[in-house]
Amino acid sequence: AERGTPKAAQIIAEAEFGYRQMRPYLETLSPGASVLEVGSGPCILLAQIVSDFPLLSVTGIEPIGPGFDGFEATLTQIRAQYCFQLVNAGYEDFSANQSFDLIFSINVFEHLPDWRHFLRFVRARLRRGGKCVILCPNYGFPYESHFGLPIFINKAFTERLFRRRIAEFEGANGYQGLWSSLNFVSWREVRREAAREGIHIVFRSGILRQMIERLHTDTEFRERQRAIASVSEWMLRIGIVRLLEAPMFRFVLPYMFLEITP
C-alpha cells in the first residue's frame, strides 16, 4: 500500500500516536530490557522503537491475516531492516516462557475476544517492577469511534439501528468483520475485574486532554472523528475538560489510558 492511501494514512497516524504515548516508558528502561507489543499490525511502531532504542529486546505479537492485504511488502521491508521478534499468533498462543519489563497494547484491547483473560496474561508475564499500558476506547461513553456511531442501550441494539451503515462502512474500507470483533469494554467492567483478580490498575485521566488536542493537530484523526470534533472544541472553550479529569468521571470518558503494575 502507498503512504498516501487512506488506510495507510490511518495506520501511520496511529503508530505515531502510540509512539508518543510509549516513549516516556521506553526512556525509563535499562539496556537489555524486554518489551512486548500485543497487536503490532504492520510493525511501524515496533520499527520506530527499535530505531530509537536499539539496546532493548523487542517482541511483537500479531495474528497476521486478511486485514493486512496490501501491506505485505511494507511488513517484509520492515522486518528485513529492523531487529525485533514478530510472533505470528494471538497472545493466547504465545508459548515462549518469557517475561517482560514493558507490555503495551494500543487500540487492540477492544477487539480481544476475552479481555479478562488478557489481564491475567499480563499479570503472569510482567516482571517485578514492570508495567503494562493499555490504550483503547471506553464504551462507558456512548460513542463507537471506529464507525463514528452513537451507542444506544448496548451493542446489539445499536447494530439493529445502524445495520446498513455498518455494512456500508465495512465494505467501503475493507474492514469486514470489524463490528463483530468489538467487545464494547468499559472502565467500570475493567475496574471490577481487576479488583476481583487482585490486579493493580490505574486510569491515567490526562489522556482526555491529549485526545482533544489530537483532534486539533492530527488532520487524519480529526477527519475520522469529525462527529465529535466540534464537541471537543466546545469542551475546551467552556473549560469542562479539567472537571472531566476528576476520578468520578472516568467511567464516562471516551478513551482509556490504563497502567497495570505487578
Side-chain angles (χ1 to χ4, degrees):
E2 298 297 326
R3 183 184 178 91
T5 64
K7 187 181 288 189
Q10 178 179 342
I11 289 176
I12 292 169
E14 290 305 310
E16 291 171 347
F17 164 75
Y19 184 71
R20 289 194 299 272
Q21 303 306 314
M22 298 313 306
R23 186 177 179 96
Y25 292 91
L26 295 163
E27 289 174 340
T28 68
L29 298 177
S30 302
S34 295
V35 177
L36 174 68
E37 180 184 23
V38 178
S40 300
C43 299
I44 295 173
L45 176 51
L46 284 186
Q48 185 65 57
I49 292 173
V50 170
S51 177
D52 289 353
F53 300 91
L55 299 182
L56 298 179
S57 175
V58 179
T59 301
I61 296 178
E62 176 58 56
I64 300 167
F68 292 99
D69 292 347
F71 285 93
E72 295 88 346
T74 301
L75 180 57
T76 299
Q77 182 179 358
I78 288 174
R79 294 189 68 181
Q81 186 174 353
Y82 298 94
C83 183
F84 58 83
Q85 179 185 7
L86 180 63
V87 179
N88 181 197
Y91 82 88
E92 307 92 334
D93 302 315
F94 184 66
S95 58
N97 185 21
Q98 188 176 357
S99 56
F100 298 89
D101 300 287
L102 176 63
I103 300 173
F104 68 94
S105 179
I106 299 175
N107 297 330
V108 171
F109 194 59
E110 74 272 24
H111 298 284
L112 297 177
D114 188 347
W115 58 264
R116 293 175 176 84
H117 179 268
F118 181 72
L119 294 180
R120 296 193 292 272
F121 168 85
V122 165
R123 180 177 58 187
R125 296 289 183 161
L126 275 180
R127 289 177 178 165
R128 182 178 297 275
K131 291 182 179 180
C132 171
V133 175
I134 298 171
L135 285 85
C136 71
N138 173 24
Y139 288 92
F141 182 77
Y143 175 72
E144 206 305 295
S145 58
H146 300 79
F147 292 83
L149 296 174
I151 297 172
F152 292 98
I153 302 178
N154 54 31
K155 179 181 179 180
F157 189 77
T158 302
E159 182 178 6
R160 286 198 293 272
L161 287 178
F162 299 108
R163 190 180 305 277
R164 178 175 295 180
R165 284 181 60 181
I166 291 169
E168 289 175 350
F169 180 86
E170 291 186 339
N173 294 279
Y175 292 151
Q176 283 78 9
L178 175 60
W179 178 268
S180 65
S181 77
L182 299 172
N183 56 38
F184 276 45
V185 63
S186 71
W187 166 236
R188 190 182 300 275
E189 294 173 311
V190 172
R191 193 178 77 158
R192 186 184 302 121
E193 183 66 18
R196 182 183 298 118
E197 292 289 338
I199 296 171
H200 184 259
I201 190 166
V202 175
F203 189 125
R204 301 295 183 192
S205 58
I207 191 63
L208 174 63
R209 188 175 299 272
Q210 292 186 50
M211 296 301 288
I212 291 176
E213 291 173 352
R214 187 183 176 194
L215 284 167
H216 298 274
T217 59
D218 184 336
T219 54
E220 193 280 331
F221 181 66
R222 181 182 177 86
E223 176 62 23
R224 278 189 284 130
Q225 303 299 337
R226 58 184 180 272
I228 61 171
S230 59
V231 176
S232 75
E233 293 174 355
W234 172 77
M235 291 170 62
L236 285 174
R237 281 201 304 271
I238 68 172
I240 198 174
V241 173
R242 184 182 297 275
L243 174 63
L244 292 176
E245 289 176 334
M248 69 180 70
F249 291 108
R250 290 175 184 168
F251 295 112
V252 293
L253 293 187
Y255 200 74
M256 297 190 284
F257 188 126
L258 307 179
E259 183 181 291
I260 298 173
T261 52

